[in-house]
Amino acid sequence: MIDLSTHYLGLKLKNPLVPSASPLSKKLDDAKRLEDAGASALVMYSLFEEALRSEEAMLDRFLLDQSIGHAESAGFMPTPQDYRSSLDHYLEQIHALKSSLEIPVIASLNGVSLSGWVELGAELQQAGADALELNVYYVAGNIEQTGDEVEQRYLDLLKVLRTKVSLPIVMKLAPQFSSLPNFVLKLEEAGAQGVALFNRFFQPDINLEDLSIIDQLKLSNSSDSLLVMRWLAILHGRTRLTLAATGGVHTTDDALKMLLAGADVVHMASALLQHGSSRLTEILKGIEAWLEAREYESVSQLKGSLSQQHQKDPSVFARESYIRVLDSFSPPGGVWR
Ligand SMILES: Cc1cc2nc3c(=O)[nH]c(=O)nc-3n(C[C@H](O)[C@H](O)[C@H](O)COP(=O)(O)O)c2cc1C
């Protein structure tokens, strides 16, 4: 019997497959289906501070209208006690997931203000989440802001949260940092327990018909996993933080590569949304069969065995491989002579 267990954020998980933040944690039935399919933990969809603040502002306006006697709003007459904000819904969902699932539930937070991150983080801890993932979706588009300042935002947030939240914290990072390994080291010093590589930044497109900007959500594919795989391979063994691979895992091969590179857990969203929970079971069985065929005894034996530290030629993950790849490329035959 192969030992598929892994350690992530101080939690012992029965296997490395974890559905990442997505709408699949919004319904108990879906979450239960994922657990039954073999998921070893569940990351919830994010709670967004901005959404909460705009609800609060609307409610304040509404109550003010009532008190000054606007007939239209007074007609609805909801009382503040009846009102349930997205925070209330989120906390209730943590309770519900915790009581119907056996696997750990990781809450996900996307804050804006420092006080918001801290207050909401404390609420999610209080509600019983097993860990907290910080979805810092920050597009560093301010020309005045230096790279150091961008990093400092993450670090300040983590340090302040640490004063109020004792749960394991995982930072979901953007792929664009000048020196990712050094930044990961700083996150470790600031009190994180893990990093999730990488947050998927949805890219706006241009509509050439009416020249408008299109907001769009495109699901990933397997080729997206290679960016993650390289950075896992570079980080494995160089940080004490646990590593989650998030992005482009659609098949058993994708998942195995992430583990070989050094992931402690492999997150999945797009593949589950596209193919259902059975895709998780297939990948789990596939990992087991692959390990068995090669006489591995456990996932731990596999983890990081092809990371940069274990390469005879560590340059395969670095610049030299770029030069080799360019030199060895030849265009498709018959197109260019
Ligand atoms: C429909 C959808 C909703 C998502 N919602 C969230 C979210 O609420 N919070 C978050 O941190 N990531 C969210 N993500 C990002 C995923 O958790 C994941 O990091 C990303 O999609 C890359 O993984 P994948 O290639 O397996 O899809 C969402 C992704 C999708 C496709």
Side-chain angles (χ1 to χ4, degrees), residues 20-21 23 45-46 135 172 200 217 219-220 246-248 268-270 273:
S20 66
Y45 61 95
S46 297
N135 168 12
K172 195 169 185 183
R200 187 169 174 79
L217 189 160
L219 297 179
S220 67
T246 174
M268 291 168 68
S270 295
L273 289 163

Side-chain angles (χ1 to χ4, degrees), residues 37 86 117 119 169 201 244 284 286 303:
S86 52
W117 281 103
E119 279 167 33
I169 295 181
F201 279 36
L284 201 52
K303 257 200 278 180

